[in-house]
Amino acid sequence: MSGDTNTNHFYGNTVNMHGGTGNTGMVFQRSGAADESGAGGEELTRAVQELVRLLAELRPQLSPQDAEAVDASLPVITGEAEAEPQERRQALMTVLGVASLAATLGQPVAEAVRGILGLIGN
């Protein structure tokens, strides 16, 4: 590798967006028991991506206050914001509370949150 000045090093989360709308494609770099096995980390990443997708569908049904609460929770849930495990759990519980009050799409969101809580051991 000597002389290779084009080596990339990534620390933390990376989001790449290349035009268009509705882009998804977050790379999650986490530490913790769920991620150490590799497979658990992939499962958690998929579960969080599914939650983000479901929340995008739910958001138009939410009041402005509930939408704001969800928006504030997402960076902690997705790992964009540095957070302690308790903060991540609180963000998930906030989204769970909003989803439990929502109409038809609230149930799948609530199930997705419960799945993530199970994966992170809460």
Side-chain angles (χ1 to χ4, degrees), residues 55 59 62 64-76 94-95:
L55 286 170
R59 197 173 192 294
L62 300 177
Q65 296 85 2
D66 287 345
E68 186 177 312
V70 168
D71 290 346
S73 298
L74 274 175
V76 174
T94 296
V95 170

Side-chain angles (χ1 to χ4, degrees), residues 106-120:
Q107 183 61 33
V109 170
E111 290 173 10
V113 169
R114 287 186 193 102
I116 293 169
L117 286 168
L119 289 170
I120 63 175

Side-chain angles (χ1 to χ4, degrees), residues 8-14 16 27 29:
N8 295 319
H9 299 278
F10 297 97
Y11 302 96
N13 299 316
T14 303
N16 295 308
V27 176
Q29 304 296 328

